[in-house]
Amino acid sequence: MLEKVTNHIYKKIVPLPHNPLREINVYMIIGHKNLLIDTGFHRPECAKALQEAFTELNIEDTDLLITHLHSDHCGLIGNFINAKTNIYASETDGELINFEAGNLYWKMLDDLFIKYGFPKADFGSNTDIHPGRKYCHDKRADFVYVKEGDVLEYGGYAWRVIETPGHTPGHICLYEPNEKILIGGDHILGTITPNICIEISSENPLQQYFESLSKIEKLDVALLLSAHGTPIENVYERIQQLYAHHNERLAEVLHILAGEWKTAYDVARDMTWEIECKCWEDFPKPQKWFATGEAISHLQYLYFSKKVFRKEENGIYYYKKIQ
Ligand SMILES: [Zn+2]
């Protein structure tokens, strides 16, 4: 179903099959030029949903903006690669998206996780571990790179690009200052906490995420259109909840590291998770992966804040609380 959000802005809920997120909200800004924001996975169900929206809106051409590199946001990029379409992204995530189209990216990400203690035995087959690998695009795009402060005019609005690294190193939002609308990608979600995970080009993503939350706090936002869940009315309250969540997590991780040296994987195993599994061993492989990524981002934040030691042994990082 296509939903009109406000003048010239529509939301289409695109299904994400076999994924705990279930669906993504893509937004379409309609005018003499159109702009689609994010695409869904590289799957026929997602392509069908987009086509239904185009038919309903009676449009044939649209430019495309990718908020960040995750495959539920850029999976169908290949369908938009043609001479007429501008495909916008930040340079950081744009380069990673093109890099993702080859196997080297996934190999580097695997090696990074191994460095943080993720056991090879838990990888399973290459596509088991990470939904991004299954439903990722397979073509390289010739992006129009956008950066902080750039303005994109669509639907009678002047959208300012806001760089919000954290959820990914090159995550971007669009902000319309006159109408106080923020199109927020996965930066701030209402019902779930955005996963803050290490990437091959970021060492301290949680620090970046905190800075990006504080950047949004300074804007006047009346309506936040996020990529998952319902629109958020009180952005500032939600930002405080997100700070509180991560500060609790940091305290929990410090507590876990009070005794012996542990890897990020060990810490993830010892953290509490809202998942219907009896024990860590029962976690599905992708959930172990995301949990470890989340543990890494908190550990790295504590390491750079000089709250924990980090040592490397046989190519693997271990952490311990500084007493
Ligand atoms: Zn994401």
Side-chain angles (χ1 to χ4, degrees):
M1 197 187 71
L2 191 69
E3 182 189 320
K4 184 171 181 178
V5 178
T6 183
N7 284 341
H8 308 290
I9 305 178
Y10 294 83
K11 174 171 101 174
K12 176 74 181 175
I13 298 176
V14 172
L16 298 174
H18 314 300
N19 190 276
L21 286 170
R22 292 209 192 98
E23 51 201 27
I24 178 172
N25 304 321
V26 306
Y27 296 96
M28 307 190 68
I29 306 170
I30 303 302
H32 73 275
K33 285 188 308 176
N34 307 311
L35 182 67
L36 169 69
I37 292 132
D38 294 332
T39 69
F41 281 139
H42 186 195
R43 284 193 57 99
E45 297 89 337
C46 300
K48 181 168 168 271
L50 288 188
Q51 191 50 55
E52 281 165 9
F54 296 154
T55 305
E56 213 171 318
L57 289 164
N58 199 21
I59 63 167
E60 285 177 10
D61 300 321
T62 178
D63 288 338
L64 172 64
L65 180 131
I66 300 294
T67 57
H68 65 290
L69 63 89
H70 291 153
S71 54
D72 52 332
H73 296 257
C74 69
L76 283 170
I77 210 166
N79 293 14
F80 295 88
I81 298 174
N82 60 58
K84 291 191 289 195
T85 305
N86 289 314
I87 307 180
Y88 304 104
S90 70
E91 186 167 359
T92 306
D93 273 24
E95 285 190 351
L96 285 168
I97 288 167
N98 278 339
F99 193 30
E100 258 179 7
N103 284 329
L104 185 60
Y105 170 82
W106 299 105
K107 163 88 175 72
M108 284 176 76
L109 203 57
D110 288 351
D111 289 348
L112 189 67
F113 268 62
I114 288 168
K115 198 169 178 64
Y116 286 100
F118 201 87
K120 282 186 184 156
D122 271 6
F123 275 107
S125 81
N126 200 32
T127 51
D128 270 358
I129 191 71
H130 196 304
R133 293 178 201 202
K134 266 192 247 178
Y135 307 138
C136 173
H137 61 98
D138 52 6
K139 295 196 180 82
R140 285 166 202 272
D142 192 7
F143 286 106
V144 178
Y145 289 135
V146 289
K147 59 181 187 316
E148 180 81 23
D150 283 353
V151 174
L152 301 176
E153 293 188 2
Y154 286 90
Y157 298 98
W159 299 96
R160 230 166 69 199
V161 174
I162 313 280
E163 293 175 357
T164 47
H167 179 64
T168 66
H171 189 289
I172 51 173
C173 300
L174 287 182
Y175 176 59
E176 216 295 331
N178 292 319
E179 300 298 324
K180 305 180 176 55
I181 303 169
L182 184 76
I183 298 181
D186 280 1
H187 181 45
I188 300 169
L189 303 174
T191 42
I192 49 173
T193 313
N195 180 250
I196 308 301
C197 186
I198 201 82
E199 258 296 336
I200 55 176
S201 64
S202 64
E203 277 208 297
N204 192 356
L206 187 58
Q207 172 68 35
Q208 287 186 313
Y209 185 64
F210 282 149
E211 287 166 8
S212 296
L213 284 179
S214 115
K215 196 188 254 186
I216 300 300
E217 248 181 322
K218 295 186 184 89
L219 299 177
D220 188 0
V221 180
L223 178 64
L224 193 160
L225 303 175
S226 51
H228 305 282
T230 49
I232 299 165
E233 276 167 28
N234 193 333
V235 178
Y236 307 98
E237 189 181 74
R238 185 62 187 143
I239 289 173
Q240 293 313 314
Q241 290 167 355
L242 291 167
Y243 282 132
H245 166 84
H246 287 292
N247 284 325
E248 273 170 36
R249 286 308 230 178
L250 288 166
E252 184 185 17
V253 169
L254 261 187
H255 181 71
I256 290 167
L257 286 175
E260 62 206 279
W261 290 92
K262 288 183 176 176
T263 67
Y265 181 84
D266 297 333
V267 170
R269 181 198 57 214
D270 295 346
M271 288 167 80
T272 46
W273 301 101
E274 281 180 28
I275 179 170
E276 285 176 22
C277 290
K278 275 198 250 91
C279 59
W280 175 251
E281 284 65 37
D282 287 354
F283 273 41
K285 288 184 171 73
Q287 265 58 48
K288 281 188 178 173
W289 172 278
F290 286 119
T292 303
E294 190 86 14
I296 296 169
S297 66
H298 288 80
L299 286 164
Q300 286 291 94
Y301 181 87
L302 291 167
Y303 171 66
F304 285 109
S305 319
K306 301 197 165 35
K307 301 271 174 52
V308 301
F309 295 114
R310 188 182 78 183
K311 67 173 181 180
E312 189 176 339
E313 260 179 36
N314 300 322
I316 293 175
Y317 286 141
Y318 294 84
Y319 298 84
K320 189 177 173 182
K321 186 180 172 189
I322 299 175
Q323 298 296 340

